[in-house]
Amino acid sequence: MASSTKIPLRPSPATQRLRDLLADPEHIVVAPGVYEGISARIALSLGFEALYMTGAGTSMSRLGYADLGLTTQHDMVSQAETIANISPSTPLIADADTGYGGPVAIARTVSKYARAGVAALHIEDQVQEKRCGHLLGKEIVAREVFYSRIRAAVNARRDLGLDILIVARTDSRQSYGFEEARNRLLRAAEIGADVVFPEALTSTSELAEMVRAMRRTPCLLNMVTKGVTPELSVDQAKELGFRIVIFPIAGFGGAIKGITESLATLKSTGREPEDLIGVKQAFELCGLNECIELDKRAGGKALAGLE
């Protein structure tokens, strides 16, 4: 799996696009949280330039369980491949939890995510039995274990000739304080992480200080509704110096609200809501017209009459 021979990088269009966006110091990348095909299609139809595959949303949509570390490497790679291949040129940033094991497993995770079309993945320093970063009681691995995870990811990228971005996430603020979180991310950047992800900072002053401490290393802000971090707008995040801001709950939070309201109407009235999206409109959102055109250009007749 590993080799001492350096292989030239083969950047994917999505990865190169993300690198280009991060190369502009005046730009902030905004990535809404998506978790399956429909949420990704909606975000793309609205013109978002990048997407974020939330682990919490994946756990809830794929398993029907809260974000408690239950999703496997297979679950996450499969979901990421579905999302990334809807628009291969759009950068997808994806949660990779703890990397799903030791250095060998992490190398395999990096390979699988990159080949699935993911532009950037983040690996954190919680124990394997992890939980959502904005829940209490998180357990954190020793510094050297975290550094080993990041080193394994960076080495795998180099040895396998990939260009996926490595994002180092620390959840240590809750248990060990701001200085520990800062020091862990500084070292992760020295090891080779492209972006750092300070999870669950508790004040705007901490957010600003973290950005200053990281200097030229881009910082990612996780904007969790009703979480422990102050809720900021994109403009406020940009003013603090963050280069990427993700909104993981925007997709599944909106879906839960909308589905609940729709099914509640059905339960109480015996009818679906009158303002629901129609089936043809839903299909068009999810590529119907593009499929018809592809079939037609190839001389096929399977989709004739669907216009």
Side-chain angles (χ1 to χ4, degrees), residues 2 8 33 53 61 67 76 89 100 105 147 149 154 156 191 206 249 285 295 302:
M53 190 186 87
S61 65
D67 185 13
M76 297 293 282
S89 63
Y100 310 107
Y147 302 153
R149 289 174 180 176
V154 171
I191 291 168
E206 284 190 352
I249 298 180
L285 170 71
D295 185 67

Side-chain angles (χ1 to χ4, degrees), residues 23-307:
D24 180 356
E26 299 302 316
H27 187 77
I28 183 169
V29 177
V30 180
V34 300
Y35 52 92
E36 40 66 90
I38 294 176
S39 58
R41 286 281 190 180
I42 293 170
L44 291 167
S45 75
L46 294 172
F48 283 98
E49 65 185 1
L51 304 176
Y52 173 66
M53 190 186 87
T54 154
T58 300
S59 182
M60 288 186 287
S61 65
R62 192 174 180 90
L63 306 180
Y65 278 93
D67 185 13
L68 298 172
L70 299 175
T71 50
T72 64
Q73 181 195 76
H74 175 77
D75 293 328
M76 297 293 282
V77 170
S78 176
Q79 208 82 333
E81 184 174 29
T82 294
I83 295 168
N85 283 276
I86 292 172
S87 178
S89 63
T90 300
L92 176 66
I93 304 166
D95 189 348
D97 296 316
T98 62
Y100 310 107
V104 175
I106 290 169
R108 191 163 177 262
T109 295
V110 170
S111 174
K112 283 181 169 291
Y113 271 57
R115 298 182 198 289
V118 172
L121 62 80
H122 62 77
I123 295 176
E124 67 198 49
D125 58 0
Q126 287 195 57
V127 298
Q128 295 291 344
E129 298 79 12
K130 59 150 289 175
R131 61 188 65 188
C132 170
H134 287 253
L135 295 178
L136 297 177
K138 293 181 291 185
E139 295 184 55
I140 308 300
V141 298
R143 291 180 184 179
E144 288 306 321
V145 174
F146 176 49
Y147 302 153
S148 176
R149 289 174 180 176
I150 301 304
R151 191 176 295 112
V154 171
N155 288 348
R157 173 179 62 186
R158 179 199 63 215
D159 295 342
L160 296 172
L162 305 171
D163 197 33
I164 188 170
L165 278 77
I166 308 300
V167 181
R169 164 177 155 173
T170 183
D171 288 69
S172 60
R173 166 64 183 87
Q174 183 187 99
S175 300
Y176 300 111
F178 177 83
E179 288 188 10
E180 178 68 14
R182 178 194 62 203
N183 292 339
R184 286 184 178 223
L185 292 182
L186 282 170
R187 179 61 184 138
E190 290 175 356
I191 291 168
D194 304 283
V195 178
V196 293
F197 178 167
E199 177 67 308
L201 300 187
T202 59
S203 68
T204 54
S205 61
E206 284 190 352
L207 294 170
E209 176 56 31
M210 186 63 78
V211 172
R212 283 194 293 270
M214 294 303 116
R215 301 182 181 90
R216 295 185 179 181
T217 302
C219 293
L220 180 153
L221 176 62
N222 187 18
M223 202 68 271
V224 175
T225 303
K226 299 179 176 66
V228 302
T229 300
E231 294 185 28
L232 304 177
S233 68
V234 171
D235 287 344
Q236 289 171 318
K238 182 179 179 181
E239 187 175 347
L240 288 175
F242 282 90
R243 302 302 314 286
I244 302 173
V245 58
I246 60 175
F247 291 86
I249 298 180
F252 71 74
I256 291 171
K257 184 175 185 293
I259 293 169
T260 300
E261 291 174 354
S262 177
L263 295 184
T265 298
L266 175 60
K267 177 70 173 174
S268 63
T269 68
R271 293 178 179 273
E272 293 178 332
E274 293 183 0
D275 59 352
L276 278 186
I277 298 296
V279 65
K280 190 168 189 292
Q281 188 177 353
F283 288 169
E284 288 173 348
L285 170 71
C286 291
L288 174 63
N289 293 333
E290 291 87 343
C291 290
I292 292 171
E293 182 60 25
L294 280 170
D295 185 67
K296 186 185 297 183
R297 285 193 290 115
K301 299 182 189 257
L303 303 182
L306 290 178
E307 294 91 341

